[in-house]
Amino acid sequence: MEAPTACATVSSIFVYPIKSCRGISVPSASISSTGFRWDRQWVVVNSKGRAYTQRVEPKLALVEPEFPREAFDEAWEPSCGSYLVLRAPGMDTLKVSLSKRYNILDGVSVWEWSGSAYDEGDEATNWFSEYLGKPSRLVRFNTENETRPVDSNYASGYETMFSDGYPFLLISQGSLDALNKLLKEPVPIDRFRPNILVEGCDPFAEDLWAEVKISGAKFHGVKLCSRCKVPTINQENAIAGDEPIKTLREFRSDEILRPTKKSQKKVYFGQNLVCEESRSSGKETSIRVGDPVYVIRKFSSHADAAA
């Protein structure tokens, strides 16, 4: 069997420690059982434990997390002096210990999932409550006692933490460039919050990637990413508009891409992935910027791709 040839290259890797807050661009990222290490490990919740997202709290886009530089190295473990540092407009800097465990908070929920989480303490509670202007708490996924499986209709045996639904989201630069040619004001990739950005392939080629290999790790494309209002929120000022969703609806709707399927009025941009190495307890696997992307298997059409 002929070896596959590289069809793209990893150009950027992003990790989003707190759900709906700003991401961190990193040169490499370790793959854990729930996605990239540190990705969506925290979430801000309301007084009832329900997750806040940019859909209802766009100001979260301006919360900027910072990790110790070495936190993304393989096998690094936090010490008592290791912190997640948070900054936001008009706020003092908040330092959240990466090693201390606070009380358990029950009844935390993200979409269909509910369970317990670590409460990050009163200082974080006061900080987010002041910033958002309403009762808020910062919580961390309880990795010792909780799991959050992905939708078994699309991928069985995989887990995530506080992401919307899947451990990884991949988008190509070609797709972004094709969209920006149609927009009066181009948008940056941060509007779409991918984990993996690749370059060198045709626009929207990733739609049909059923199986790809990056740095020895095997990823499966399990669901086209349907987009909510978050891409309409400017990540630099938290102001929402109607683009790019308005333009995407003209050529990326399910009616157009999947005309033989029942329309659910969805718009697609990007491919959700799971990684086989997430299920193994062996040697830790990482991917890096510059890694080639090999396509092992493709869907024959958008109608055959899950969505």
Side-chain angles (χ1 to χ4, degrees):
M1 183 176 177
E2 186 177 348
T5 57
C7 67
T9 303
V10 176
S11 55
S12 296
I13 298 171
F14 302 98
V15 173
Y16 306 87
I18 306 176
K19 184 176 182 63
S20 271
C21 295
R22 191 163 292 181
I24 300 174
S25 178
V26 296
S28 65
S30 299
I31 295 170
S32 74
S33 62
T34 57
F36 286 142
R37 189 183 187 190
W38 308 118
D39 193 58
R40 276 90 167 192
Q41 194 161 345
W42 288 263
V43 65
V44 183
V45 299
N46 64 18
S47 58
K48 297 181 179 180
R50 188 71 180 168
Y52 283 133
T53 74
Q54 287 187 34
R55 297 167 179 83
V56 294
E57 294 296 339
K59 285 179 64 178
L60 287 172
L62 308 183
V63 176
E64 183 176 0
E66 179 183 321
F67 270 95
R69 183 178 303 175
E70 64 275 14
F72 295 96
D73 294 343
E74 289 187 11
W76 180 83
E77 293 297 331
S79 67
C80 60
S82 302
Y83 295 92
L84 167 63
V85 179
L86 302 179
R87 298 179 176 86
M91 300 295 294
D92 293 334
T93 298
L94 174 66
K95 296 174 69 176
V96 178
S97 174
L98 291 175
S99 60
K100 186 175 180 179
R101 289 287 187 268
Y102 290 92
N103 295 329
I104 296 290
L105 182 67
D106 292 319
V108 170
S109 59
V110 176
W111 304 124
E112 79 301 332
W113 179 90
S114 65
S116 65
Y118 294 111
D119 183 351
E120 290 290 13
D122 291 342
E123 187 177 359
T125 291
N126 294 336
W127 195 89
F128 274 101
S129 296
E130 179 183 348
Y131 179 64
L132 295 178
K134 59 184 68 176
S136 309
R137 302 196 78 86
L138 178 67
V139 300
R140 183 175 183 176
F141 197 87
N142 182 354
T143 53
E144 294 177 7
N145 300 302
E146 300 286 357
T147 58
R148 185 175 171 226
V150 304
D151 188 338
S152 60
N153 291 317
Y154 296 94
S156 180
Y158 293 93
E159 300 173 8
T160 188
M161 285 197 274
F162 292 132
S163 68
D164 268 2
Y166 299 91
F168 305 95
L169 174 63
L170 181 147
I171 295 174
S172 74
Q173 184 66 46
S175 299
L176 180 66
D177 292 344
L179 169 62
N180 279 334
K181 288 179 181 178
L182 302 175
L183 296 174
K184 292 181 180 179
E185 296 184 12
V187 296
I189 194 60
D190 63 6
R191 294 286 192 99
F192 298 99
R193 301 176 67 79
N195 294 108
I196 304 170
L197 181 68
V198 301
E199 63 183 7
C201 61
D202 291 337
F204 309 108
E206 66 271 23
D207 289 356
L208 303 182
W209 290 353
E211 187 178 313
V212 299
K213 184 170 275 192
I214 306 173
S215 188
K218 188 179 292 185
F219 294 86
H220 297 276
V222 295
K223 189 176 186 293
L224 294 175
C225 185
S226 59
R227 308 311 307 216
C228 61
K229 67 174 287 185
V230 170
T232 70
I233 300 170
N234 186 317
Q235 300 294 294
E236 296 300 319
N237 58 23
I239 297 174
D242 57 6
E243 292 289 12
I245 296 299
K246 180 181 177 182
T247 294
L248 282 172
R249 196 169 297 282
E250 296 173 0
F251 74 112
R252 295 290 299 172
S253 69
D254 56 0
E255 293 100 325
I256 294 171
L257 295 180
R258 298 161 58 84
T260 62
K261 305 290 184 178
K262 183 178 179 180
S263 174
Q264 299 180 8
K265 306 300 181 182
K266 292 183 176 180
V267 173
Y268 300 116
F269 196 84
Q271 176 75 266
N272 288 300
L273 307 174
V274 295
C275 179
E276 284 192 16
E277 279 63 29
S278 293
R279 300 195 292 186
S280 67
S281 57
K283 184 178 181 295
E284 193 169 71
T285 303
S286 297
I287 73 168
R288 294 170 173 78
V289 171
D291 280 343
V293 179
Y294 299 94
V295 176
I296 309 301
R297 183 168 56 90
K298 292 183 179 182
F299 298 110
S300 59
S301 69
H302 286 92
D304 292 326

